[in-house]
Amino acid sequence: MSGALREARVHRISAAAPDDVSGLARAIEEGRIEPGAIVAIIGKTEGNGCVNDFSRGLATMALGRFLLERAPTTAANACLVMSGGTEGALAPHFSVFEVRDAAGDATAAGALAVGRARTPAVPPEQLGRAAQVRMVAEGVAAAMRDAGIERAEDVHFVQIKCPLLTAARIAEAEGRGAATATRDTLKSMGLSRGASALGVALALGECRPDLDFDAIIGRDFGVFSRRASTSAGVELADHEIVVLGMAQGWTGPLAVDHAVMADAIDIEPVRDALARLGVDASRQLGPQARGRVVGLFAKAEPGSTGNLRGYRHTMLDDSDISATRHARGFVAGALAGIVGHAELYVSGGAEHQGPDGGGPVAIIVERHTTGTTP
Amino acid sequence: MSGALREARVHRISAAAPDDVSGLARAIEEGRIEPGAIVAIIGKTEGNGCVNDFSRGLATMALGRFLLERAPTTAANACLVMSGGTEGALAPHFSVFEVRDAAGDATAAGALAVGRARTPAVPPEQLGRAAQVRMVAEGVAAAMRDAGIERAEDVHFVQIKCPLLTAARIAEAEGRGAATATRDTLKSMGLSRGASALGVALALGECRPDLDFDAIIGRDFGVFSRRASTSAGVELADHEIVVLGMAQGWTGPLAVDHAVMADAIDIEPVRDALARLGVDASRQLGPQARGRVVGLFAKAEPGSTGNLRGYRHTMLDDSDISATRHARGFVAGALAGIVGHAELYVSGGAEHQGPDGGGPVAIIVERHTTGTTP
Amino acid sequence: MSGALREARVHRISAAAPDDVSGLARAIEEGRIEPGAIVAIIGKTEGNGCVNDFSRGLATMALGRFLLERAPTTAANACLVMSGGTEGALAPHFSVFEVRDAAGDATAAGALAVGRARTPAVPPEQLGRAAQVRMVAEGVAAAMRDAGIERAEDVHFVQIKCPLLTAARIAEAEGRGAATATRDTLKSMGLSRGASALGVALALGECRPDLDFDAIIGRDFGVFSRRASTSAGVELADHEIVVLGMAQGWTGPLAVDHAVMADAIDIEPVRDALARLGVDASRQLGPQARGRVVGLFAKAEPGSTGNLRGYRHTMLDDSDISATRHARGFVAGALAGIVGHAELYVSGGAEHQGPDGGGPVAIIVERHTTGTTP
Amino acid sequence: MSGALREARVHRISAAAPDDVSGLARAIEEGRIEPGAIVAIIGKTEGNGCVNDFSRGLATMALGRFLLERAPTTAANACLVMSGGTEGALAPHFSVFEVRDAAGDATAAGALAVGRARTPAVPPEQLGRAAQVRMVAEGVAAAMRDAGIERAEDVHFVQIKCPLLTAARIAEAEGRGAATATRDTLKSMGLSRGASALGVALALGECRPDLDFDAIIGRDFGVFSRRASTSAGVELADHEIVVLGMAQGWTGPLAVDHAVMADAIDIEPVRDALARLGVDASRQLGPQARGRVVGLFAKAEPGSTGNLRGYRHTMLDDSDISATRHARGFVAGALAGIVGHAELYVSGGAEHQGPDGGGPVAIIVERHTTGTTP
């Protein structure tokens, strides 16, 4: 990476439907986005975020087809991470990450850095088990190398899209005499998210490497990553990994930091992270400050104790609405109360991502000193 | 009312289930609540808050039976207002309102005042129409008289439980040759809530009395009350009305004020109301301040424009989860972010209650100067 | 029992709501039902049939309160078994079982016999385990003795209402250092239903007594009862057991038989059972034959293989609607196609009740030869 | 059409997911399907069948892309009609309709005939109004001409995919000062289906041409088509029309007939239609007869009276599950009870398609006399 200077750019684009690529097309036509520079798209789509969420697949197919026309190489390599579920007033949108070559001094203070990787396909019987944890850890290390981030502490967000079990995949494994970690498809989403998050924790030194992960995944939520964000989807069998951090060798106005919410309404750490990034959030952000917050990426979950600060919640006992849907809408409200809008990335299922009932939050901000993005 | 001094007391009691009266029983046994002094119970129960929400009926039956044993007169007269829907981390609970005789100077500065009334049963064909508006307005005036509140500006909250249409009620009306305002039972809940809210607006002088309410209900959301909170339930055919305000002739540590949220995340007015009541909410309330906030009562709704501050939300297009459920969970998150817990009363369906997409919020606080409640 | 002759009467009463006792009240006022003779009420109520189904509790409370007024002894002893979930066109209703003293020859051919029993409360940590199986088996034997049924083959239906785990019950057990079979409340319903069904199988000699039930419950669905029907509800901690069969010592026009559906649309055995009972079902029953079918009681479940006769179904992958709800509505359609209406008892969750994906069906018919019921 | 002899072939292909085109690919590779001969694909996909059903769009995109590769002309012209909702055990599948040139005598007795057409895009403000009825009627006439069907009585099924209103489309119309028939997106689906069905009725002479359709659509369900099947989807703005009937000029083993169910369990007319087609359905079809029933296409709806044959159903009062989902699963059970499997096309929302609560059923059967399909 030495010598080459890069700039990461992030564009948040509203989506009128899962397959709405018009905003992206317009940004390309207007010269704001260079299709060949796209390395990742992280989106919120409006399905249920659970097993039978076809909005993710639809978005992935539409974006993939679009990129194939505009930038075939990008289409083959870009990470497309769609997280389903826009409960409450969450707004469906895509965050498009570009990496561009830049002129200037590569030894400068640094800026937002983006790296990515894919893992091999995980066999159904390894999903939710230690083998998946180690596979993901290797993927995270590869993505850090791709970003030129050397120290784990400079990583602020690791977004992973991981697979889940379907009835068909379970049958395939069982046909080979292999037993899967669960036969419950909805539950498999949680196990896959949890194992992936522990893979991040392992890669970033947030947990000891010699843990018995098989006994921890989905059970001991005291072990977790403070920077992982994982989403499960039916549309892939491997892992797509995107690492965000601060690194030398990168320039531009963008910076990233992160907070950890201890529970679903623990919003003061988010305010503090905004302050560290130079954004005053003592009251709800006004229009100008809002414009500088390019992206907020959070995880939400119901909390396995069945209560929040001593008061019972009913998310886990609701057989009509999945608990993950409840949690996304509720946490979205808490965060939107700070930011002043709800075009946020709040993703459900935060197993081993932050403490039980809480979750990591990453924030990308346009710094004042460097002027406006092009 | 002259000469008699009263004190309103409010007890927020967690509920382990809709029919959990154990907290109320304990409070009575421990002498904190005098059953004969109960005038109203406003509860959040954990059903879906829509047509087929049986948690409300179950709570009403359980509370009614309990009161019948402990205080027959109270049971016959107390307003039991159950609002279904504890989306997100909202905690099921009951707020028990007592009115006690008090010693002291009835001409003092005043305190929280509580009044109540019931209307006659509304015929199905009048539901959601001008006749319901006027019926409710008379009920609100009666409840103000009951509270000894003379000026409309001293009213801060009017909670109304109103009926809805069921297939059976529609059939009954049609059997008499009468047409109901709608044949859609879910929609009837909105019309009834809206007509009731306009009844409050009419009673409090928030709208002109000569409006064509038939043309406004459910259509022109520019006409609304800033202090109404209405909930529809299958378990009654009339209206139960509870008015909260500040009035002379009342004593005790409690005070009430209100705010109006312009949209689902317009939380600064709530902070300001807390400040007026002497509670600093510049950051999330800590344990001590939380203890002083006896009750927060808010309305939530999805906003008919389909977007929040320019970003599309999907609540109105979701055929799996009712939009009212989305809105409750989301607004609950925004408010819990301020208050620091989610044992709040957030009630869905805010038609004509605050501006489109927003809603009124009433807050009852224990004032510092008057010491602690018994 | 020798010498005493009894008559079982069954009244199917439509319910306009879970707490609608008006039909029962009318039947009593008109002399059709003797409140002191009621031994059991088996109802379908219109909740979701899952964890947070409050329609069952509401019906139980309303019926209990009603019986307490009319027949205090009955209220204390009658089994009230409410099964939630009226998907499709299933009609909410109550089947009221009376046992009356009768005149005549106790050694005659026999008729519908009804027996009942309750077990002790099952500790949360025993739920879904072998201890629950054995507790239920003893209860079934007690209910058979109550009915005077000596041979297992004369039993045609065993209805059991069993408890489930809630967050609170799990916490209570864990507070004592005891681990429950699952921490997933919805899953606990299936385990409790399955263990109860295996208790029936054990009592009726449908399985070997030395099986390792802990390893079978919820896993090996090849072990099952052909006559068990179990429903889980949050409103009890023990088991309510009702046994239906044919026995000497009973008189009257009613007879009972049963069929086992091998899968969700295996309806020919039901037709054959109707034929054995003297009802021609070669085409859909016409009004007269329909009137003779006093009650049809069936279990439904999605089938764990994810397909029906080689074609994939999506019930297990649907995160919006519980699979048990899908199964009830679908099986209800198949059975209503035979019977000609949908006021049927189709209860979800058929773990170990009939083969995987199928379930038992019991039918009570008024025989021609004995004339009409009073 | 004179002189040319055609053969319609129908292939029912199971789908493992909405975007599973592998079965179609295999049929093409094995020479069973000629991609250039495909004129229509009618599918059941596994979304909720309501507004936010993205399974339809995903299937349409996947099939469209596949056809574009294999047969560009077909891709441009084939009608792709995806109906969402596989409640109960309904199996997701595609029915692929081919039209091939055939050798033989064009004046022979006739066989299954297929015709198709598309209409112009319907402006949002015309949706659900008389203009849509007339637009569709012209489309049906065009499709009949395409099939060479001269007499309305020879038409047995008209499948139409019609558009719906979204928040965006409503806003677009209102931006032009035009008012849509409703602002409720879910409701718009019903209005569009109803207007389309009345278009069929108008084209086939099932209703008088001078009716005031604006007053009838969605209100007077006494006016209906006995052969229309309409589905609304967000993915199109015009209408896709496929007509099935019997006509000279067509050859091959396939024949079509139809029945009308008077309510959700009125299955005897379906049995009779099978008998007319030479399939004995006095008991559930066995494997061989099942193989001859190439396709069964039915409409289902809850029935606006709130009861089925005098017993109350709860579909219309269920705020957790859309009534159309209930109806599909229930009717699917009734029909699968006859046919012996559930890979059936049961489509919800039968407004003006058959009588209130009932619906048309079309059946395509392979006739004995003509031997097996290639």
Side-chain angles (χ1 to χ4, degrees):
Chain A
M1 302 288 154
S2 64
L5 187 62
R6 292 183 283 181
E7 179 178 346
R9 296 188 185 177
V10 183
H11 311 262
R12 204 175 75 240
I13 299 176
S14 302
D19 57 347
D20 175 21
V21 297
S22 65
L24 177 54
R26 203 158 42 243
I28 291 173
E29 279 152 27
E30 295 172 6
R32 286 177 282 125
I33 291 181
E34 213 172 81
I38 297 171
V39 296
I41 302 178
I42 298 180
K44 281 298 315 171
T45 62
E46 56 205 278
N48 62 22
C50 300
V51 173
N52 60 328
D53 180 344
F54 302 108
S55 69
R56 294 178 302 225
L58 182 57
T60 300
M61 187 181 284
L63 288 167
R65 196 169 65 165
F66 177 83
L67 291 177
L68 197 64
E69 287 170 13
R70 304 296 177 105
T73 311
T74 292
N77 295 313
C79 288
L80 303 183
V81 182
M82 298 301 124
S83 160
T86 54
E87 293 77 12
L90 283 172
H93 68 281
F94 304 119
S95 288
V96 181
F97 290 78
E98 282 185 282
V99 173
R100 299 209 191 183
D101 294 329
D105 181 2
T107 61
L112 173 66
V114 179
R116 64 205 164 115
R118 291 191 77 137
T119 68
V122 60
E125 66 272 23
Q126 289 189 4
L127 188 144
R129 289 174 171 151
Q132 188 183 10
V133 174
R134 299 191 195 286
M135 179 186 280
V136 168
E138 289 177 23
V140 172
M144 285 176 65
R145 285 192 300 274
D146 184 52
I149 301 175
E150 286 169 19
R151 301 181 308 178
E153 70 228 55
D154 289 333
V155 172
H156 290 289
F157 190 64
V158 183
Q159 171 64 46
I160 297 181
K161 189 78 181 188
C162 54
L164 54 85
L165 296 179
T166 58
R169 288 173 187 176
I170 294 166
E172 185 273 325
E174 294 182 348
R176 290 183 285 104
T180 53
T182 180
R183 305 187 78 234
D184 178 326
T185 55
L186 186 56
K187 198 172 172 187
S188 80
M189 300 179 78
L191 293 177
S192 183
R193 288 187 299 251
S196 298
L198 290 171
V200 176
L202 181 58
L204 299 185
E206 297 178 309
C207 68
R208 295 206 331 265
D210 59 348
L211 292 176
D212 177 7
F213 290 110
D214 280 333
I216 289 171
I217 298 166
R219 288 199 184 85
D220 178 0
F221 294 113
V223 184
F224 57 83
S225 168
R226 299 171 67 85
R227 289 163 281 178
S229 167
T230 66
S231 288
V234 75
E235 63 276 16
L236 81 175
D238 60 344
H239 301 82
E240 298 196 326
I241 301 173
V242 177
V243 165
L244 303 185
M246 295 296 286
Q248 282 192 321
W250 294 79
T251 188
L254 299 183
V256 64
D257 203 335
H258 77 279
V260 177
M261 293 170 74
D263 62 29
I265 55 174
D266 183 30
I267 55 173
E268 297 300 339
V270 179
R271 274 201 179 113
D272 295 343
L274 280 163
R276 287 195 302 274
L277 287 162
V279 177
D280 174 19
S282 59
R283 285 177 81 88
Q284 190 177 79
L285 302 190
Q288 199 176 1
R290 255 179 245 166
R292 289 179 51 212
V293 179
V294 177
L296 183 149
F297 302 83
K299 292 298 296 191
E301 68 179 4
S304 68
T305 61
N307 74 70
L308 174 64
R309 301 193 185 175
Y311 297 110
R312 180 171 72 103
H313 66 71
T314 62
M315 296 189 266
L316 301 174
D317 282 345
D318 190 341
S319 307
D320 297 314
I321 300 181
S322 161
T324 58
R325 305 201 71 180
H326 276 294
R328 268 193 299 268
F330 182 71
V331 172
L335 292 170
I338 299 176
V339 178
H341 68 79
E343 195 170 83
L344 307 172
Y345 180 91
V346 179
S347 173
E351 300 86 352
H352 303 292
Q353 299 151 66
D356 184 14
V361 180
I363 307 168
I364 301 175
V365 159
E366 196 178 311
R367 290 175 290 195
H368 266 314
T369 47
T370 8
T372 56
T373 40
Chain B
M1 302 287 151
S2 64
L5 186 63
R6 291 183 284 180
E7 178 178 347
R9 296 188 185 178
V10 182
H11 310 262
R12 203 175 75 239
I13 299 176
S14 301
D19 56 348
D20 175 22
V21 296
S22 65
L24 177 55
R26 205 159 38 243
I28 291 174
E29 281 152 27
E30 294 173 6
R32 285 177 284 125
I33 292 181
E34 212 172 82
I38 297 171
V39 296
I41 302 179
I42 298 180
K44 279 299 315 172
T45 63
E46 57 205 278
N48 62 21
C50 301
V51 174
N52 61 327
D53 181 344
F54 302 108
S55 68
R56 294 178 301 224
L58 182 57
T60 301
M61 187 181 283
L63 288 168
R65 194 168 65 166
F66 177 84
L67 291 177
L68 197 64
E69 287 170 14
R70 304 296 177 105
T73 311
T74 292
N77 294 314
C79 287
L80 302 183
V81 181
M82 299 299 125
S83 160
T86 54
E87 291 78 12
L90 283 172
H93 69 280
F94 303 118
S95 289
V96 181
F97 290 77
E98 282 185 281
V99 172
R100 300 207 190 184
D101 294 330
D105 181 3
T107 61
L112 173 67
V114 179
R116 63 206 164 115
R118 292 191 78 138
T119 68
V122 61
E125 67 272 24
Q126 289 189 4
L127 188 144
R129 289 177 171 150
Q132 188 183 10
V133 175
R134 300 192 193 284
M135 178 186 282
V136 168
E138 289 177 22
V140 172
M144 284 175 65
R145 285 192 299 274
D146 184 53
I149 301 175
E150 287 170 17
R151 301 182 307 178
E153 70 228 54
D154 289 332
V155 172
H156 290 290
F157 191 64
V158 183
Q159 172 64 46
I160 297 180
K161 189 78 180 189
C162 55
L164 53 85
L165 295 179
T166 59
R169 288 173 187 176
I170 294 166
E172 185 273 325
E174 293 182 349
R176 289 184 283 105
T180 54
T182 181
R183 305 187 77 234
D184 178 326
T185 55
L186 185 56
K187 198 172 172 188
S188 79
M189 300 179 78
L191 293 178
S192 183
R193 288 187 300 251
S196 297
L198 290 171
V200 177
L202 181 58
L204 300 185
E206 297 179 309
C207 69
R208 295 206 330 267
D210 59 347
L211 292 177
D212 176 7
F213 289 110
D214 280 333
I216 289 170
I217 298 166
R219 288 201 184 84
D220 178 0
F221 294 113
V223 183
F224 57 84
S225 169
R226 301 172 65 86
R227 287 163 282 178
S229 166
T230 65
S231 289
V234 75
E235 63 276 14
L236 80 175
D238 61 343
H239 302 82
E240 299 196 325
I241 301 173
V242 178
V243 164
L244 303 185
M246 294 296 286
Q248 281 193 322
W250 294 78
T251 188
L254 299 183
V256 64
D257 204 335
H258 77 278
V260 176
M261 294 171 73
D263 61 29
I265 56 174
D266 183 30
I267 56 174
E268 296 301 337
V270 179
R271 275 201 178 112
D272 295 342
L274 280 163
R276 287 196 302 275
L277 287 161
V279 178
D280 174 18
S282 59
R283 287 179 80 87
Q284 190 177 79
L285 301 190
Q288 200 176 0
R290 255 178 246 165
R292 288 179 52 214
V293 179
V294 177
L296 182 148
F297 303 83
K299 292 298 297 189
E301 69 178 2
S304 69
T305 60
N307 73 70
L308 174 64
R309 301 194 184 174
Y311 297 110
R312 181 173 71 102
H313 65 71
T314 62
M315 296 189 266
L316 300 174
D317 281 345
D318 190 340
S319 308
D320 297 315
I321 300 180
S322 161
T324 58
R325 304 202 69 180
H326 276 293
R328 269 191 299 267
F330 182 72
V331 171
L335 291 170
I338 299 176
V339 177
H341 68 79
E343 196 170 83
L344 307 172
Y345 180 90
V346 180
S347 173
E351 300 86 351
H352 302 292
Q353 299 151 65
D356 185 13
V361 180
I363 307 169
I364 300 175
V365 159
E366 194 178 313
R367 290 175 290 193
H368 266 315
T369 47
T370 10
T372 56
T373 41
Chain C
M1 303 287 150
S2 62
L5 187 62
R6 292 183 283 180
E7 179 178 347
R9 296 188 185 178
V10 182
H11 310 262
R12 204 176 74 239
I13 299 176
S14 301
D19 57 347
D20 175 22
V21 296
S22 65
L24 176 55
R26 203 158 41 242
I28 291 173
E29 280 153 25
E30 295 173 6
R32 285 177 283 124
I33 292 181
E34 212 173 82
I38 296 171
V39 296
I41 301 179
I42 298 181
K44 280 297 318 168
T45 62
E46 57 204 277
N48 61 22
C50 300
V51 173
N52 61 327
D53 180 345
F54 302 108
S55 69
R56 293 179 301 225
L58 182 56
T60 301
M61 187 180 282
L63 288 168
R65 196 168 63 166
F66 177 82
L67 290 177
L68 196 64
E69 288 169 13
R70 305 296 177 104
T73 311
T74 291
N77 294 314
C79 287
L80 302 183
V81 181
M82 298 300 125
S83 160
T86 54
E87 292 78 12
L90 283 172
H93 69 280
F94 304 118
S95 288
V96 181
F97 290 77
E98 282 186 281
V99 173
R100 300 210 191 182
D101 294 329
D105 182 1
T107 61
L112 173 67
V114 179
R116 63 205 164 114
R118 292 190 78 138
T119 69
V122 60
E125 66 272 25
Q126 289 189 3
L127 187 144
R129 288 175 172 151
Q132 188 183 10
V133 175
R134 299 190 194 286
M135 178 186 280
V136 168
E138 289 178 22
V140 172
M144 285 175 66
R145 283 193 300 274
D146 184 52
I149 302 175
E150 286 170 17
R151 301 181 309 176
E153 71 229 52
D154 290 332
V155 171
H156 290 290
F157 191 63
V158 183
Q159 172 64 46
I160 298 181
K161 189 78 181 188
C162 53
L164 53 84
L165 296 179
T166 58
R169 288 174 188 176
I170 294 166
E172 185 274 326
E174 294 182 348
R176 289 182 285 104
T180 53
T182 180
R183 305 187 76 234
D184 179 326
T185 55
L186 186 56
K187 199 173 171 187
S188 79
M189 300 179 79
L191 293 177
S192 183
R193 288 187 300 250
S196 298
L198 290 171
V200 176
L202 182 57
L204 299 185
E206 297 178 308
C207 69
R208 296 208 326 269
D210 59 348
L211 292 176
D212 177 8
F213 290 110
D214 281 334
I216 288 170
I217 298 165
R219 288 199 183 84
D220 178 0
F221 294 113
V223 184
F224 58 83
S225 168
R226 300 172 67 84
R227 289 163 280 178
S229 167
T230 66
S231 288
V234 75
E235 63 274 16
L236 81 175
D238 61 345
H239 301 82
E240 298 197 325
I241 301 173
V242 177
V243 164
L244 303 185
M246 295 296 286
Q248 282 193 319
W250 294 78
T251 187
L254 299 183
V256 64
D257 203 336
H258 77 279
V260 177
M261 294 172 74
D263 62 29
I265 56 175
D266 183 30
I267 54 173
E268 296 300 337
V270 179
R271 274 200 180 114
D272 295 343
L274 280 163
R276 286 197 302 275
L277 288 162
V279 177
D280 174 19
S282 59
R283 286 177 82 87
Q284 191 177 80
L285 301 190
Q288 199 176 1
R290 253 178 247 165
R292 289 179 51 212
V293 179
V294 176
L296 184 148
F297 302 84
K299 292 298 297 190
E301 70 179 2
S304 69
T305 61
N307 73 70
L308 174 64
R309 301 195 185 174
Y311 297 110
R312 181 172 73 101
H313 66 70
T314 62
M315 295 189 267
L316 300 174
D317 281 346
D318 189 339
S319 307
D320 296 314
I321 301 180
S322 162
T324 58
R325 305 201 71 181
H326 276 294
R328 268 192 299 268
F330 182 71
V331 171
L335 291 169
I338 298 177
V339 177
H341 68 80
E343 195 170 84
L344 307 173
Y345 180 90
V346 180
S347 172
E351 300 86 353
H352 302 291
Q353 299 151 66
D356 184 13
V361 180
I363 307 168
I364 300 175
V365 159
E366 195 177 312
R367 291 176 290 194
H368 267 313
T369 47
T370 7
T372 56
T373 41
Chain D
M1 304 288 152
S2 63
L5 187 63
R6 292 183 283 179
E7 178 178 347
R9 296 188 185 178
V10 182
H11 311 262
R12 204 176 74 239
I13 299 175
S14 301
D19 57 348
D20 175 21
V21 297
S22 65
L24 177 55
R26 205 158 40 243
I28 291 173
E29 280 152 27
E30 294 172 7
R32 284 178 283 125
I33 292 181
E34 212 174 83
I38 297 172
V39 295
I41 302 179
I42 297 180
K44 280 298 316 170
T45 63
E46 57 204 277
N48 62 21
C50 301
V51 173
N52 62 327
D53 181 344
F54 302 107
S55 69
R56 294 178 302 223
L58 182 56
T60 301
M61 187 180 283
L63 287 168
R65 196 169 63 166
F66 176 82
L67 291 177
L68 196 64
E69 287 169 14
R70 305 295 178 103
T73 311
T74 292
N77 294 314
C79 287
L80 303 182
V81 181
M82 299 299 124
S83 160
T86 54
E87 292 77 12
L90 282 172
H93 69 280
F94 304 118
S95 289
V96 181
F97 290 78
E98 281 185 281
V99 172
R100 299 207 192 184
D101 293 330
D105 181 2
T107 62
L112 173 67
V114 180
R116 62 207 165 113
R118 292 192 78 137
T119 69
V122 59
E125 66 272 25
Q126 290 189 2
L127 188 143
R129 289 175 171 152
Q132 188 184 11
V133 174
R134 300 191 194 287
M135 178 186 281
V136 168
E138 288 177 23
V140 172
M144 284 176 66
R145 284 193 300 273
D146 184 52
I149 301 175
E150 286 169 19
R151 301 182 307 177
E153 70 228 54
D154 290 332
V155 172
H156 290 289
F157 190 65
V158 183
Q159 171 64 47
I160 297 181
K161 189 78 180 188
C162 54
L164 53 85
L165 295 179
T166 58
R169 288 174 188 175
I170 294 166
E172 185 273 326
E174 294 182 347
R176 290 184 283 104
T180 53
T182 180
R183 305 187 77 233
D184 178 327
T185 56
L186 185 56
K187 198 172 172 188
S188 79
M189 300 179 78
L191 292 179
S192 183
R193 288 188 299 251
S196 297
L198 290 171
V200 176
L202 180 57
L204 299 185
E206 298 178 308
C207 68
R208 296 208 327 268
D210 59 348
L211 292 176
D212 177 8
F213 290 111
D214 281 335
I216 289 170
I217 298 166
R219 287 201 184 84
D220 178 0
F221 294 113
V223 184
F224 58 83
S225 169
R226 300 173 66 85
R227 288 163 280 179
S229 166
T230 66
S231 289
V234 74
E235 64 275 15
L236 80 175
D238 61 344
H239 301 82
E240 298 197 327
I241 301 173
V242 178
V243 164
L244 303 184
M246 295 296 285
Q248 281 192 321
W250 294 77
T251 187
L254 299 182
V256 64
D257 204 336
H258 78 278
V260 177
M261 294 171 72
D263 62 28
I265 56 174
D266 183 29
I267 56 174
E268 297 301 337
V270 180
R271 274 200 179 114
D272 296 342
L274 281 164
R276 287 197 302 274
L277 287 162
V279 177
D280 173 19
S282 59
R283 285 178 80 88
Q284 190 177 81
L285 300 191
Q288 201 176 357
R290 254 178 246 164
R292 289 179 52 210
V293 179
V294 176
L296 183 149
F297 302 83
K299 292 298 297 191
E301 69 177 4
S304 70
T305 61
N307 73 71
L308 174 64
R309 301 193 184 175
Y311 297 111
R312 180 172 72 103
H313 66 71
T314 62
M315 297 188 266
L316 299 174
D317 281 346
D318 190 340
S319 308
D320 297 314
I321 300 180
S322 161
T324 58
R325 304 202 70 180
H326 276 292
R328 270 192 298 268
F330 182 70
V331 171
L335 291 169
I338 299 177
V339 178
H341 68 79
E343 195 169 84
L344 307 172
Y345 181 90
V346 180
S347 173
E351 300 86 351
H352 302 292
Q353 299 151 67
D356 184 13
V361 180
I363 307 168
I364 301 175
V365 159
E366 195 177 311
R367 292 175 289 194
H368 266 314
T369 47
T370 9
T372 56
T373 42

